[in-house]
Amino acid sequence: MATTKYAHRSIRKISLAHFDSRIDEITKQLVAAAETDGFFVLVDHGISSEEIEAQFDNAARFFALPDETKARVPFSRRNVGWEKQSQVRPSTGVPDQKESYQMQYGAAMGGMWLPEETLSGFREQSLQFMHKVQAVSERLMVCFARGLGFPDRYFVEYHDVTKPNIQTVLRLLHYFALDPAQPVPQDYYRAGAHADWDFLTLLFQRPGQSGLEICPGREVFTAFGLGDVWTKVEPASGEIVCNIGDLLMSWSDDRFKSTFHRVKTPSDPAVDYFGPRYSMAYFNQPNTDCRIQGPLKKYPLVTGSEFTEAAMRRNYSALEAKKAEGRMGGAATATA
């Protein structure tokens, strides 16, 4: 197995304090981060550490339920519900070793909430938290709109979570604990390398539960190739780690960078975290009928639903290519 190469990169920390009076300064900082690593960290964003931790506790209550109970809200084509060890990345060709539960607003969620008697207060608390994160997201959207020369509320209106055709979701994630005294299986991945295909991701991590790593260098949003030099992004209390998604990379005519990232599988008990890992990812995805095209019109105009469908097709094609590569590799070994 090849040794992972690491490099130090300074991940920008951006304060949203006094947002209205500092919006020009904040916009410059966000644009600079988007044009380079595509990752940045938010502080002074208005969501307290206590509120974040309370939602982590809420998530832990859900994941502590028996699998047969969680299976009553299975992952569906509406991009909501619970899955376990079913997400396969083209970079690995095998399932991530985690479980997750995705939630949307309003009618888009359908009947995919567990009943109150099964998980008291979970729905109300989760929706309250989602609205707080949406408010932070909308501030960032105003800045990115300014950076690209669009009207201030251009992106906000296309990510209106009160509309019935929303796609934005909050994803609760639970990565399984490993025994540091036992060898880690060769094909065990917490989350294989990937780029998000949304507009913007806001990620919450629990302090002490490390594993997130980034690998910048992507030039066009349609490319699956990535380099091999990684940088660790350590979690800290109250911080929100943000990354540009493929959608914003396309919408900016590839000016803003959607960066590959992963959750590293622990291998060294001296430095890696082997315990259960919890995170929460808020994926800002546009309404299905919004019209997407960058200011330079580098790519054809598409709707929100068309962009998502195309991203899924690219992901499927890359996965099929990975499987074919594996078959070819196996055949070559057998006949060598």
Side-chain angles (χ1 to χ4, degrees), residues 111-274:
M112 301 302 286
W113 296 104
L114 287 172
E116 187 69 10
E117 58 267 24
T118 302
L119 202 58
S120 175
F122 175 84
R123 174 179 179 173
E124 180 181 1
Q125 181 175 329
S126 295
L127 285 170
Q128 288 177 354
F129 184 78
M130 290 164 67
H131 280 290
K132 290 178 182 293
V133 185
Q134 177 66 19
V136 176
S137 298
E138 290 182 2
R139 289 183 172 186
L140 303 181
M141 289 177 192
V142 170
C143 294
F144 285 127
R146 287 190 174 198
L148 293 172
F150 291 125
D152 278 5
R153 293 190 59 81
Y154 182 81
F155 292 133
V156 173
E157 291 173 358
Y158 280 147
H159 293 78
D160 186 346
V161 297
T162 68
K163 297 285 182 66
N165 60 342
I166 58 172
Q167 299 188 94
T168 292
V169 299
L170 174 64
R171 188 180 204 188
L172 310 179
L173 297 121
H174 170 218
Y175 300 90
F176 310 122
L178 286 163
D179 182 353
Q182 299 295 323
V184 177
Q186 184 174 356
D187 289 334
Y188 191 106
Y189 294 90
R190 280 195 154 173
H194 64 283
D196 296 341
W197 66 53
D198 64 335
F199 180 88
L200 178 70
T201 302
L202 280 69
L203 179 71
F204 299 84
Q205 303 184 92
R206 263 187 156 166
Q209 298 182 2
S210 60
L212 177 64
E213 299 180 347
I214 67 171
C215 183
R218 207 153 159 244
E219 293 301 322
V220 294
F221 84 95
T222 53
F224 270 98
L226 67 157
D228 61 354
V229 180
W230 293 84
T231 295
K232 299 179 180 182
V233 183
E234 294 296 335
S237 178
E239 294 184 349
I240 307 176
V241 178
C242 302
N243 64 276
I244 304 301
D246 281 1
L247 179 59
L248 182 50
M249 188 167 180
S250 172
W251 222 330
S252 69
D253 301 306
D254 292 325
R255 177 181 166 191
F256 297 163
K257 305 305 182 184
S258 173
T259 294
F260 274 88
H261 51 284
R262 67 184 182 185
V263 178
K264 180 183 180 292
T265 300
S267 58
D268 183 353
V271 295
D272 293 334
Y273 174 70
F274 280 73

Side-chain angles (χ1 to χ4, degrees), residues 320-330:
E320 289 301 300
K322 178 74 174 181
K323 291 178 180 177
E325 176 186 312
R327 289 193 295 270
M328 291 173 62

